[in-house]
Amino acid sequence: MQISREDIRNIAIIAHVDHGKTTLVDALLKQSGIFRENQEVRERVMDSNDIERERGITILSKNTAVQYGDTKINIIDTPGHADFGGEVERILKMVNGVVLLVDAFEGVMPQTKFVLKKALSLKLPVISCINKTDRPGARPKEVVDEVLELFMDLDATDEQLDCPFVYASAKEGYAVLDPEETGQDMKPLFDTIVDYIPAPTGDPDANLQILISTIDYNEYVGRIGIGKVDNGTIKINQEAVIVNHHDPDRTEKVKISKLYEFSGLNKEDVSEAGIGEIVAVSGIADLKIGDTLCGTLSEPVAIPFQKISEPTISMNFIVNDSPLAGQEGKYVTSRHIKDRLLRELNTDVSLRVEETDSTDTFKVSGRGELHLSVLIEEMRREGYEFAVSKAEVIYKKGENGKLLEPMENAFIDVPDEYSGTVISSLSERKGELLNMGSIAGGYTRLEFNIPSRGLIGFRGPFLTDTKGNGIINTVFSGYGPYKGDISYRKTGSLIAFEAGEAVTYGLFNAQERGTLFINPGTKVYSGMVIGSNPRSEDIEVNVCKTKHLTNTRTSSSDEALRLVPPMILSLEQALDFIDQDELLEVTPESLRIRKRILDPILRKRAAMKRQNS
């Protein structure tokens, strides 16, 4: 018999990047009383990953739970960046409703549409929360109209359109039901969640069913599967069966050795859990996202898993074979790299890893450049050393064999004086201007439809063109006809002529040819890219060259030479810069760009062949 658990609410907080999801969770946690009065609590406490805290974005979905009166509210904080949309898609099966967060100044943005579309398709009720109402230039009433228009564009039902609106400042820790009121605390949002989000339902006497939506990992207990109890009861030491809706052959008998529920930021050991509870299960070595844990009372029935959007971009991860290979990394072999990539598949459902003709090369596909760059950064911090190629989009064949490529909707906010430059730049990259309008503060908002490959390597020049004041947001819009060839880079490379150590005299002569990427004392080798050339061709320079010593000149006279400070590339800048014939060496200590062909004679032949073609 189906019953409702009125003492539980399961919600996900969804939004566009930087609209304040994690800050809102901070406020809910603090006001629920889970922290001691004298406890020091850092900002964005849910962003536990080092990379998340450094970049100020949420990458992984995370679970927490608060007690509000007699009701336990399970909360899932989700990423806002389009590249991590797979994290949002898979956790929506765990909740009974969502809180849609929208910035009171920026309004509806691309990822707002993406996450709301996913929630509406699952028939989830939505609470619309207009956040940052205390921000200068906030326009909450206009943003409400934008949200309602978005609901209608996405064919929301009448019940979904009749959603409650809450106005909040997550940073100041208050929410109100009327934007003209002054808030005191988060009570209005708590009350709206309890009143509007339906309680989870299920049959406590039926066979156990838990859909595993997230995989966590702990070095002491191993893999931890997280999901919601849809039916039945789960207990410690209980026999269970793993089945999968999309893999009929998958059947495995297991035993539940550890069971946890969420409380605040911690997992608490429990002996059993019933319907509606979000639980974590450990002790099952082969548990995967999308698996259903079933009891043995009757024939196991798998729960269908949300279809995850396919990757749109790929790059090759290659064993580093440069002259400086193996000097800085701890894990350098193809076996190490393969094992690490396959391990990532356990927790990242949006990632694809394929073996190639070469045993030293793996094709890794993801949702965008940021998605793959975060994986690269995590691996280098763990001690891995490898090389990666230029990112390439994944094409498809359409009707009549026509080539299709991934397309993106790009929303760009730029100061009015730079809008012409940005329009010209994106038009060269096969972008099509859809909308253009003024927004507050002397900014213009541009909406483009552009091939995904047109955005590869664009963010660096875009920030330069807009003096760092431009904001670009993109969301995948589907596949469209191939738009023609695009030139990724108009500049050439400065290439080291010989192996050795870069010296001031050699760099002083080389800096006249372009912008340098290295300092004196940097180890280089023939074929290593040490700078960019404003012209389109590559130039070889000898940065190891020293002055001849005579009775009137000494090597110490190098100290009088003045070098322009080099441009030290970040990981994203290096990935943007490399061209099709170049690789990026990634080590725990260094990022080095090099030509694929290191032999200077073969490299010149390849360059001549490319020019002739």
Side-chain angles (χ1 to χ4, degrees):
M1 183 179 71
Q2 294 279 320
I3 66 167
S4 294
R5 283 288 301 270
E6 294 297 334
D7 60 334
I8 295 176
R9 297 293 185 274
N10 298 320
I11 63 164
I13 299 181
I14 59 175
H16 183 77
V17 65
D18 203 29
H19 279 198
K21 297 177 300 302
T22 306
T23 308
L24 181 70
V25 175
D26 278 2
L28 295 176
L29 286 169
K30 289 172 183 174
Q31 295 188 27
S32 68
I34 70 158
F35 302 120
R36 301 187 313 273
E37 286 188 19
N38 64 341
Q39 185 172 345
E40 183 180 345
V41 182
R42 62 185 183 182
E43 289 185 357
R44 295 186 293 113
V45 67
M46 292 292 284
D47 282 347
S48 53
N49 183 301
D50 287 343
I51 299 176
E52 290 178 320
R53 298 196 66 78
E54 289 169 17
R55 301 188 184 212
I57 59 172
T58 301
I59 296 170
L60 303 169
S61 297
K62 299 178 190 69
N63 295 67
T64 187
V66 300
Q67 192 73 30
Y68 180 68
D70 297 329
T71 306
K72 180 181 182 180
I73 304 175
N74 287 305
I75 303 170
I76 304 176
D77 182 22
T78 66
H81 198 286
D83 284 19
F84 307 107
E87 291 281 318
V88 181
E89 293 174 88
R90 62 186 169 87
I91 60 88
L92 290 178
K93 294 285 280 187
M94 252 197 293
V95 299
N96 302 103
V98 298
V99 176
L100 176 71
L101 217 59
V102 186
D103 190 301
F105 174 76
E106 291 186 358
V108 170
M109 297 295 279
Q111 189 69 357
T112 314
K113 182 176 181 179
F114 173 82
V115 294
L116 180 59
K117 183 178 180 181
K118 295 295 180 184
L120 294 180
S121 67
L122 290 172
K123 307 268 190 302
L124 293 174
V126 180
I127 296 172
S128 296
C129 181
I130 310 303
N131 191 29
K132 304 188 185 181
T133 53
D134 58 333
R135 179 178 175 178
R139 46 188 188 95
K141 292 183 178 178
E142 294 173 44
V143 172
V144 168
D145 292 336
E146 290 181 18
V147 173
L148 290 173
E149 284 178 19
L150 179 59
F151 270 93
M152 289 186 282
D153 289 345
L154 296 175
D155 297 324
T157 63
D158 291 341
E159 291 80 7
Q160 290 169 327
L161 268 171
D162 196 25
C163 70
F165 279 84
V166 179
Y167 305 87
S169 169
K171 188 175 181 181
E172 298 300 323
Y174 68 79
V176 292
L177 299 178
D178 184 340
E180 303 299 328
E181 294 179 2
T182 302
Q184 303 296 325
D185 52 31
M186 282 289 172
K187 187 175 184 297
L189 179 56
F190 277 125
D191 290 337
T192 305
I193 291 170
V194 173
D195 295 340
Y196 186 73
I197 301 298
T201 60
D203 185 349
D205 300 320
N207 198 32
L208 172 67
Q209 277 185 311
I210 302 176
L211 176 65
I212 301 301
S213 300
T214 303
I215 293 290
D216 198 358
Y217 184 81
N218 183 296
E219 60 185 28
Y220 299 107
V221 299
R223 295 167 69 76
I224 301 171
I226 300 170
K228 184 181 72 174
V229 182
D230 280 274
N231 286 300
T233 304
I234 184 169
K235 300 178 181 179
I236 290 286
N237 297 323
Q238 177 180 345
E239 298 283 338
V241 179
I242 297 176
V243 290
N244 192 298
H245 179 78
H246 303 288
D247 184 4
D249 297 329
R250 180 160 168 71
T251 306
E252 183 181 345
K253 287 188 176 182
V254 294
K255 188 176 183 180
I256 309 300
S257 61
K258 277 278 191 178
L259 186 64
Y260 313 90
E261 287 181 3
F262 292 90
S263 177
L265 302 178
N266 303 315
K267 298 187 189 80
E268 293 185 346
D269 286 279
V270 293
S271 58
E272 67 175 79
I275 58 167
E277 288 283 5
I278 292 179
V279 297
V281 180
S282 68
I284 304 173
D286 198 29
L287 199 59
K288 296 183 176 69
I289 291 172
D291 285 344
T292 304
L293 270 177
C294 295
T296 55
L297 297 175
S298 60
E299 189 69 24
V301 178
I303 300 173
F305 188 57
Q306 178 76 5
K307 187 178 184 301
I308 303 298
S309 301
E310 292 294 313
T312 58
I313 205 165
S314 69
M315 59 175 63
N316 289 331
F317 282 49
I318 306 165
V319 173
N320 187 18
D321 61 354
S322 82
L324 299 179
Q327 297 183 15
E328 298 171 354
K330 183 178 179 183
Y331 307 108
V332 298
T333 67
S334 60
R335 180 178 60 83
H336 286 136
I337 296 169
K338 180 182 178 181
D339 289 348
R340 177 61 181 84
L341 292 174
L342 294 180
R343 195 164 75 244
E344 188 70 18
L345 292 177
N346 293 331
T347 55
D348 190 342
V349 291
S350 302
L351 197 72
R352 300 285 183 274
V353 177
E354 304 166 57
E355 295 189 25
T356 64
D357 296 338
S358 169
T359 56
D360 291 341
T361 303
F362 305 93
K363 182 181 178 183
V364 182
S365 306
R367 294 281 280 264
E369 281 185 289
L370 180 61
H371 184 195
L372 296 179
S373 73
V374 166
L375 171 60
I376 293 169
E377 182 64 34
E378 286 177 346
M379 288 178 65
R380 74 181 293 219
R381 291 186 183 200
E382 293 168 12
Y384 287 84
E385 179 179 322
F386 53 98
V388 294
S389 66
K390 179 77 174 175
E392 296 181 347
V393 300
I394 299 172
Y395 297 100
K396 286 185 176 180
K397 286 288 179 70
E399 294 181 7
N400 303 322
K402 288 186 177 179
L403 189 63
L404 303 177
E405 65 175 322
M407 303 293 292
E408 310 254 352
N409 277 346
F411 290 75
I412 300 168
D413 295 345
V414 292
D416 296 339
E417 63 266 33
Y418 303 128
S419 58
T421 305
V422 173
I423 291 172
S424 174
S425 180
L426 283 176
S427 297
E428 290 178 4
R429 291 169 172 261
K430 309 297 182 183
E432 178 187 349
L433 182 63
L434 303 179
N435 283 307
M436 179 178 178
S438 296
I439 56 175
Y443 274 68
T444 298
R445 176 164 292 175
L446 308 171
E447 182 182 353
F448 275 86
N449 185 247
I450 184 169
S452 297
R453 62 195 168 95
L455 294 170
I456 294 174
F458 174 68
R459 290 178 190 269
F462 170 71
L463 290 174
T464 302
D465 291 343
T466 61
K467 304 292 189 289
N469 293 307
I471 300 171
I472 178 169
N473 291 287
T474 62
V475 66
F476 175 64
S477 63
Y479 274 78
Y482 180 71
K483 296 287 186 181
D485 294 339
I486 296 175
S487 175
Y488 282 113
R489 201 174 88 197
K490 295 181 179 178
T491 59
S493 298
L494 298 180
I495 304 169
F497 176 70
E498 65 179 9
E501 199 170 278
V503 296
T504 302
Y505 181 71
L507 291 172
F508 181 77
N509 291 323
Q511 71 182 6
E512 299 174 1
R513 303 293 190 96
T515 303
L516 298 178
F517 296 159
I518 62 171
N519 283 303
T522 303
K523 290 182 179 178
V524 299
Y525 53 84
S526 176
M528 178 174 159
V529 176
I530 54 90
S532 69
N533 173 27
R535 297 180 179 178
S536 58
E537 70 269 13
D538 295 337
I539 298 177
E540 294 198 347
V541 291
N542 189 355
V543 292
C544 305
K545 183 180 180 182
T546 58
K547 275 187 177 181
H548 292 295
L549 299 181
T550 67
N551 59 346
T552 56
R553 294 190 305 188
T554 65
S555 60
S556 61
S557 63
D558 278 1
E559 295 171 7
L561 301 177
R562 290 177 177 251
L563 291 177
V564 177
M567 179 180 176
I568 306 299
L569 299 180
S570 67
L571 175 61
E572 276 76 21
Q573 288 172 325
L575 289 171
D576 281 350
F577 179 82
I578 60 174
D579 213 336
Q580 305 287 3
D581 62 340
E582 294 170 343
L583 296 174
L584 173 64
E585 283 182 58
V586 180
T587 80
E589 298 176 24
S590 309
L591 295 172
R592 290 186 285 264
I593 299 171
R594 69 173 178 87
K595 289 294 178 180
R596 281 180 180 266
I597 302 173
L598 294 179
D599 186 285
I601 297 174
L602 295 177
R603 198 164 58 239
K604 286 179 180 177
R605 287 178 184 170
M608 291 176 63
K609 186 176 180 181
R610 191 169 64 248
Q611 288 173 0
N612 293 333
S613 61

